[in-house]
Amino acid sequence: MRPLVLGAVALVCLLGCESGPKLYPVRGKVTLPDGKPVHAGTVTFYPDAARGNTSLDLPIGELKADGTYALASGPKPGATAGWYKVAVNAAERVHPDDPYRFTWIGHERYTNPDAAGLAVEVVESPGPTQYDLTIEPPAAPVAKKGKK
């Protein structure tokens, strides 16, 4: 009788128990102010403890050629509900064999979630553009004056 009870409990747990907090799908698009998609890089959501999000997950998504992304928390798609500070590492490799040579697509400040100024609330039923982001292009290089 005891193995039958343990088997039933295990079956119920397999069918109804989830490991970890509930994750909600997070899909969005990153564009520049002119509407052009940010076609390379990553989007990372940092839980905002100051706004009550104590999640230990760090959802991240890769930017596709059309500027879209979908977050995953580790191997699972989605993010827990709550407020997040957002970082966008918008850069592309200059040469595919050299990961250290890249060019910025968006301004460097967006790589720091505290400096980026982007905040998003993950909810169960988001609006169609709730997770869309607009970032500024890279800063124009400053011309250096040479000595005469």
Side-chain angles (χ1 to χ4, degrees):
M1 179 77 165
R2 186 174 184 170
L4 183 60
V5 171
L6 289 176
V9 169
L11 181 61
V12 167
C13 194
L14 282 174
L15 295 176
C17 296
E18 292 184 21
S19 59
K22 180 155 178 60
L23 300 177
Y24 297 98
V26 176
R27 293 179 188 86
K29 185 172 186 172
V30 182
T31 56
L32 297 172
D34 63 5
K36 290 182 183 173
V38 175
H39 61 273
T42 57
V43 176
T44 308
F45 279 32
Y46 291 84
D48 191 346
R51 293 177 110 173
N53 188 345
T54 58
S55 173
L56 299 178
D57 290 327
L58 192 64
I60 189 168
E62 184 177 343
L63 287 163
K64 307 294 183 208
D66 63 355
T68 60
Y69 69 93
L71 293 184
S73 296
K76 297 179 181 180
T80 57
W83 280 98
Y84 291 85
K85 294 179 182 181
V86 182
V88 180
N89 184 358
E92 64 183 337
R93 287 185 183 177
V94 173
H95 191 279
D97 296 332
D98 186 354
Y100 302 104
R101 292 181 54 203
F102 59 89
T103 184
W104 291 107
I105 302 167
H107 197 285
E108 289 179 59
R109 80 167 177 269
Y110 293 104
T111 62
N112 178 336
D114 292 318
L118 300 173
V120 171
E121 184 181 19
V122 173
V123 295
E124 184 175 356
S125 300
T129 60
Q130 180 143 350
Y131 305 125
D132 289 358
L133 305 165
T134 301
I135 64 171
E136 295 295 321
V142 177
K144 294 182 180 180
K145 293 183 179 182
K147 293 182 180 180
K148 290 185 179 183

